[in-house]
Amino acid sequence: MNIGGVTTTNTVMLAPLAGFTDAGFRALCANCGAGMTVTEMVSAKGMCYGNKGTDALLYKTVEENPVAVQLFGSDPNFMYIAAHDERLAKFDVIDINMGCPVRKIVSNGDGSALMENPSLIEEIVTAVREGSGKPVTVKLRSGVRTGEVAAPECAEAAVRGGACAVTVHPRFRDQMYGGVADHSVTAQVARTVSVPVIASGDIVDAESFWRVKRQSRAAGFMIGRGALGRPWIFEVLAEADKFDLARVFDEHDNLTEEARAYAVEITKSAKDKFDVANAIRAHVTILSHILPERAVANSMKLHLCHYAKNTPNAKAVRLAITSIDGYDAIEKVIKEFFE
């Protein structure tokens, strides 16, 4: 997939997730076949004012190639200055968050609040493109209020500003992360703009991937929550993307036996190859380069809770995770539950 001259290794990419897509997790996903990774969202104002946590968010590993940095903000001047920052030189693409539904972000006019003002979207994309000289993408929602679809108009504004691709998470801001992602909205955007459109939302396995691919007609796909505790999902979906969509569904809209068997095969293969214990250790090692020990422990608690969902002793694992306060405690949990 081509994004303004940057070629992803396949069409299945890691979506940005605040609190989760740190450098360690991105490296794991890249090693498992993610075609591109995206950082947690980074505040443009935070970059301009020297926020202490920014450098950790901007840490990049050698495993990631290509990788995008996601900026958020609503002031074109701050966005221009942040995009021009030399710390972003190592990133291949700059993505602009126009979809975050969290009140703290929206109340400042950032995230999905931008979808109320398409002219500002165009101005911001232009500022980031001119400031960075890099390919710029945007991530949108369906709109702000349920039933009021704004994504096609906002996507057009972004493209006028110079966006090279548009990602659509087809939920409304007031839905937060509830309900079902309506990828007919993604398809509307794909029909509206000439740049690649990337579908995000509710892709968790081969079957859901095929259904989103059929409905959205997107050029690429982003996986967020579906990858938590399951970085191996990228290998599954990259393989699923090679399967002829015409052979996936029968006349009753069920998976064909051939497709079902293929899904089982590629899922088992990816899971069997994934070494959870060593993956957790690799994740911790990367974070140890950029965060103090206690911060690493707190970050890993979130990730370990998701790995725990895939173990037979999930309740016991979660209980053990609550007491993690450093590297030794993490290693103890790994040896007891994940080896």
Side-chain angles (χ1 to χ4, degrees):
M1 180 179 170
N2 188 290
I3 300 176
V6 173
T7 303
T8 64
T9 57
N10 57 54
T11 65
V12 184
M13 296 158 272
L14 173 65
L17 283 175
F20 287 101
T21 54
D22 54 58
F25 187 65
R26 297 196 314 269
L28 293 181
C29 292
N31 284 330
C32 287
M36 184 172 79
T37 56
V38 188
T39 69
E40 300 176 69
M41 62 181 186
V42 179
S43 167
K45 286 187 177 180
M47 289 185 66
C48 295
Y49 288 131
N51 185 291
K52 290 182 179 180
T54 299
D55 285 345
L57 294 174
L58 296 177
Y59 187 81
K60 174 184 175 293
T61 63
V62 295
E63 289 88 349
E64 299 178 88
N65 182 32
V67 56
V69 57
Q70 188 183 68
L71 297 181
F72 77 92
S74 52
D75 185 310
N77 291 324
F78 279 113
M79 295 294 278
Y80 176 90
I81 295 168
H84 195 63
D85 192 302
E86 62 181 11
R87 288 174 292 177
L88 301 193
K90 59 196 170 190
F91 295 99
D92 303 286
V93 173
I94 297 183
D95 184 59
I96 305 172
N97 185 308
M98 299 184 179
C100 181
V102 176
R103 180 175 297 177
K104 179 175 70 172
I105 301 296
V106 173
S107 63
N108 289 327
D110 305 330
S112 57
L114 291 170
M115 296 190 70
E116 300 267 33
N117 192 342
S119 63
L120 180 58
I121 287 177
E122 180 178 354
E123 191 177 350
I124 287 172
V125 174
T126 299
V128 172
R129 179 175 53 79
E130 292 179 349
S132 68
K134 294 178 180 291
V136 176
T137 62
V138 301
K139 189 175 184 190
L140 304 168
R141 284 195 161 229
S142 295
V144 176
R145 288 167 291 277
T146 298
E148 298 179 14
V149 175
E153 180 184 5
C154 292
E156 285 185 303
V159 172
R160 286 196 301 272
C164 298
V166 175
T167 300
V168 182
H169 182 112
R171 286 180 169 88
F172 294 92
R173 186 264 161 178
D174 57 14
Q175 287 182 282
M176 298 296 285
Y177 298 100
V180 177
D182 179 6
H183 283 286
S184 67
V185 174
T186 312
Q188 287 182 49
V189 175
R191 290 192 295 268
T192 301
V193 297
S194 57
V195 300
V197 171
I198 301 165
S200 177
D202 293 358
I203 302 175
V204 296
D205 55 20
E207 180 174 358
S208 58
F209 171 79
W210 284 323
R211 292 191 183 279
V212 170
K213 183 178 180 180
R214 181 180 62 173
Q215 184 180 24
S216 69
R217 299 299 179 183
F221 308 88
M222 274 196 173
I223 319 304
R225 290 178 293 169
L228 299 179
R230 310 158 73 233
W232 47 262
I233 194 65
F234 291 99
E235 180 178 338
V236 174
L237 301 182
E239 289 300 317
D241 196 29
K242 300 174 184 177
F243 196 84
D244 183 0
L245 199 58
R247 293 157 48 200
V248 171
F249 300 103
D250 63 21
E251 65 274 19
H252 303 296
D253 202 33
N254 297 315
L255 289 186
T256 62
E257 287 301 318
E258 180 187 16
R260 190 177 302 279
Y262 184 68
V264 170
E265 176 188 345
I266 59 178
T267 301
K268 183 179 186 305
S269 174
K271 289 176 70 174
D272 287 349
K273 283 189 285 185
F274 186 71
D275 186 327
V276 177
N278 283 336
I280 295 170
R281 291 187 178 106
H283 192 160
V284 170
T285 297
I286 291 170
L287 292 188
S288 71
H289 296 317
I290 54 177
L291 295 172
E293 184 172 356
R294 189 58 184 260
V296 173
N298 289 335
S299 179
M300 290 307 300
K301 284 181 181 181
L302 299 174
H303 289 281
L304 289 169
C305 283
H306 284 280
Y307 284 118
K309 292 178 182 179
N310 302 310
T311 69
N313 302 308
K315 186 175 181 179
V317 182
R318 286 196 296 270
L319 186 61
I321 289 169
T322 60
S323 62
I324 286 177
D325 58 1
Y327 300 135
D328 290 343
I330 293 173
E331 183 61 27
K332 181 180 178 181
V333 169
I334 292 172
K335 288 182 175 178
E336 186 172 354
F337 298 105
F338 295 108
E339 281 193 330

